[in-house]
């Protein structure tokens, strides 16, 4: 098991940060890790948020598909996150499956889950600042309509959703749909 310890000290009106990664066998200075990492390129904002989507989607309780969404502002600051799951007060589908659990891919008529995009929009405390939404897959038609009614003008996702009506709506409204598959 590893833990990260950050030690911040003040030296003559300047701050110094020393971090260590502790594991049962050794202590590694972050400065040595950073010197090894310097040869690696820094992740772009898109790569960073697309990788974060996996963590957000891991909170989903839908057995059909785990989807995450992250809304950021024009300065690439996270405003909110969301994942697909049941409405408040309903049981989680992993414990008590909803009627749509076995429906065909792309058919969500009987699915009781609130989609990740809607949850992220509902959780966003300052929707007026929203600029970009990162989503595991392109929005369905209902989610695309909700996104279109915000200031979000760019949707970044890993893959296309089977129902193309959401994609078509976003494109018709000049909202950028940026598909970035896993490499």
């Amino acid at each position: 098991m590893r833990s990260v310890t950050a030690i911040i000290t003040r030296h003559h009106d300047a701050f110094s940060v020393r971090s260590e990664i502790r594991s049962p066998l050794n202590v590694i200075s972050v400065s040595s890790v950073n010197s090894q990492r310097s040869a690696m390129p820094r992740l772009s904002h898109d790569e960073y948020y697309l990788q974060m989507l996996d963590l957000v989607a891991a909170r989903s309780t839908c057995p059909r598909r785990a989807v995450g969404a992250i809304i950021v502002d024009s300065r690439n600051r996270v405003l909110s996150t969301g994942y697909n799951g049941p409405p408040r007060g309903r049981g989680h589908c992993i414990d008590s499956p909803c009627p749509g659990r076995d429906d065909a891919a792309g058919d969500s008529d009987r699915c009781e889950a609130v989609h990740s995009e809607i949850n992220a929009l509902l959780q966003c405390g300052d929707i007026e600042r929203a600029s970009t939404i990162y989503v595991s897959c392109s929005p369905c038609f209902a989610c695309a309509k909700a996104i279109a009614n915000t200031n979000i003008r760019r949707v970044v996702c890993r893959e296309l959703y089977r129902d193309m009506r959401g994609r078509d709506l976003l494109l018709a409204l000049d909202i950028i749909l940026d598909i970035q598959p896993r490499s």
Side-chain angles (χ1 to χ4, degrees), residues 8-69:
I8 302 174
T9 57
R10 187 173 180 151
H11 295 284
H12 308 289
D13 295 329
F15 289 96
S16 170
V17 177
R18 182 173 61 96
S19 299
E20 297 175 339
I21 300 174
R22 297 184 184 274
S23 69
L25 300 176
N26 58 12
V27 175
I28 304 168
S29 168
V30 170
S31 61
S32 67
V33 172
N34 285 340
S35 66
Q36 293 169 358
R37 187 184 184 285
S38 63
M40 295 172 42
R42 184 176 184 195
L43 293 175
S44 70
H45 285 108
D46 285 353
E47 293 165 328
Y48 177 64
Y49 292 125
L50 287 168
Q51 288 185 25
M52 281 179 57
L53 282 175
D54 292 335
L55 185 60
V56 175
R59 292 280 302 153
S60 172
T61 59
C62 178
R64 294 178 65 188
R65 173 180 243 168
V67 180

Side-chain angles (χ1 to χ4, degrees), residues 2 22-23 52 57 77 95 103 119 166-167 180:
R2 301 172 112 190
R22 297 184 184 274
S23 69
M52 281 179 57
R77 290 180 291 201
D95 300 325
D103 289 348
N119 274 325
R167 178 203 65 181
Q180 297 190 21

Side-chain angles (χ1 to χ4, degrees), residues 88-120:
R88 266 188 209 159
R90 296 293 286 177
H92 292 287
C93 290
I94 55 175
D95 300 325
S96 174
C98 78
R101 182 183 92 180
D102 297 321
D103 289 348
D107 177 10
S108 60
D109 290 339
R110 298 184 320 144
C111 179
E112 293 181 359
V114 178
H115 288 189
S116 64
E117 301 94 322
I118 300 300
N119 274 325

